[in-house]
């Protein structure tokens, strides 16, 4: 998918086209489906670069729904002032007439880059709710908030020079 225009889907629904100007939010992925090359007609007209279908984490696991509250938090600090924090929690819900749960994931990334003058940051909140009402009736709903700042379109990925690193001068032509 790198370097060629491609499609991004969220649970099978097409998302806003990303022409390399922001980081694709994948922190909450339970599963990622990657299709190389042009998609089949079932996906409609698509890009030659293929597609990525993002499936978020939910309160449903392999054996059914969560049976107890689960969660995790991480903090990362690394080279080039990499600063990232995530938190996630899964909550089982029994409504009497429906069984299911809610899963919430949040991420804050405020990292610098190895390119001088490039300071991308992003915030993401993703919430999934799934309920089984019996007799084959289910409900699934998702909400994702994503805000990114400071990303630049392909900052020298194809022409990395020392002048770009030192002085932010990008040579084209």
């Amino acid at each position: 998918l790198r370097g060629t225009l491609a499609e991004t889907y969220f649970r099978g629904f097409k998302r806003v086209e990303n022409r390399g100007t922001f980081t694709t939010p994948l922190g909450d992925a339970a599963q990622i489906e990657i299709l190389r090359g042009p998609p089949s007609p079932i996906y409609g007209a698509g890009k030659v670069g293929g597609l990525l279908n993002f499936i978020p984490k939910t309160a449903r696991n392999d054996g059914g729904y969560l049976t107890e509250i689960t969660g995790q938090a991480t903090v990362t600090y690394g080279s080039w002032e990499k600063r990232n924090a995530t938190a996630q929690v899964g909550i089982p819900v029994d409504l009497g007439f429906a069984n299911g749960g809610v899963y919430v994931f949040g991420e804050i990334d405020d990292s610098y880059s190895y390119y001088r003058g490039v300071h991308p940051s992003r915030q993401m909140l993703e919430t999934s709710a799934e309920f089984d009402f019996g007799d084959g009736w289910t409900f699934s709903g998702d909400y994702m908030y994503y805000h990114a700042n400071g990303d630049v379109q392909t900052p020298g990925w194809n022409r990395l020079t020392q002048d770009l690193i030192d002085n932010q001068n990008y040579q084209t032509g």
Side-chain angles (χ1 to χ4, degrees):
L1 291 173
R2 289 180 6 201
T4 305
L5 291 181
E7 303 282 330
T8 303
Y9 288 75
F10 183 85
R11 280 194 179 220
F13 291 93
K14 191 180 285 191
R15 299 188 68 177
V16 173
E17 184 174 351
N18 182 0
R19 292 194 166 238
T21 57
F22 61 91
T23 305
T24 304
L26 298 175
D28 188 33
Q31 180 179 345
I32 297 174
E33 299 170 341
I34 298 175
L35 176 69
R36 291 177 21 195
S40 72
I42 195 167
Y43 288 100
K47 302 279 192 265
V48 72
L51 64 89
L52 178 143
N53 187 20
F54 171 81
I55 311 293
K57 295 176 184 172
T58 66
R60 183 185 294 270
N61 58 25
D62 294 334
Y65 290 100
L66 294 174
T67 57
E68 59 186 32
I69 295 175
T70 183
Q72 179 181 10
T74 65
V75 175
T76 303
Y77 186 84
S79 300
W80 292 291
E81 294 188 52
K82 171 70 174 173
R83 298 179 295 211
N84 180 280
T86 66
Q88 54 189 314
V89 63
I91 304 168
V93 177
D94 186 357
L95 301 173
F97 59 90
N99 186 27
V102 176
Y103 204 92
V104 179
F105 176 87
E107 178 179 28
I108 296 174
D109 192 301
D110 186 26
S111 301
Y112 284 84
S113 172
Y114 52 85
Y115 294 105
R116 289 188 189 140
V118 178
H119 180 187
S121 65
R122 66 180 184 275
Q123 302 84 41
M124 182 178 78
L125 176 67
E126 201 278 322
T127 303
S128 296
E130 287 202 20
F131 294 96
D132 184 358
F133 293 95
D135 293 329
W137 288 91
T138 61
F139 169 81
S140 177
D142 293 282
Y143 171 80
M144 179 185 274
Y145 168 82
Y146 182 75
H147 178 262
N149 218 4
D151 287 312
V152 292
Q153 186 171 1
T154 57
W157 293 343
N158 58 352
R159 290 188 180 99
L160 179 61
T161 64
Q162 192 63 46
D163 191 34
L164 173 65
I165 294 170
D166 293 340
N167 306 309
Q168 294 85 49
N169 291 327
Y170 182 65
Q171 303 295 320
T172 64

